[in-house]
Amino acid sequence: MFKDLFIQLLQNNNVTAYKLSKDTGITEGLISQWKSGRQLPKYDSLKILCDYFNVSADYLLERTDNPEINR
């Protein structure tokens, strides 16, 4: 589930919702929605998360277990 993967990324990178919000411009409210599973990120936010955590979109979309970006 995205919320579990998202929480794991935050924890593994020692990133709080506040820090993610400040670094990316995504509101803490929206981050809270993702963490609770009430909402999923839209395309633009997904791109920001991929860049921020340096993971592939396929990883965030749970199409693969490999977070590496294939170029």
Side-chain angles (χ1 to χ4, degrees):
M1 229 175 182
F2 175 80
K3 75 173 189 159
D4 299 325
L5 181 61
F6 181 59
I7 291 169
Q8 181 182 23
L9 277 173
L10 291 170
Q11 291 173 344
N12 290 349
N13 291 280
N14 294 319
V15 174
T16 63
Y18 176 79
K19 179 168 175 31
L20 180 62
S21 176
K22 289 297 180 190
D23 291 347
T24 63
I26 298 170
T27 67
E28 285 185 78
L30 188 52
I31 293 167
S32 176
Q33 294 286 319
W34 297 341
K35 286 174 64 176
S36 69
R38 289 188 296 261
Q39 191 169 341
L40 294 172
K42 299 206 184 300
Y43 176 77
D44 290 344
S45 296
L46 192 65
K47 283 178 30 182
I48 291 169
L49 292 175
C50 288
D51 290 341
Y52 187 82
F53 290 110
N54 197 33
V55 296
S56 70
D58 281 340
Y59 179 71
L60 286 181
L61 294 170
E62 299 178 275
R63 294 176 51 143
T64 181
D65 291 333
N66 181 4
E68 298 290 318
I69 298 172
N70 296 325
R71 294 184 190 238

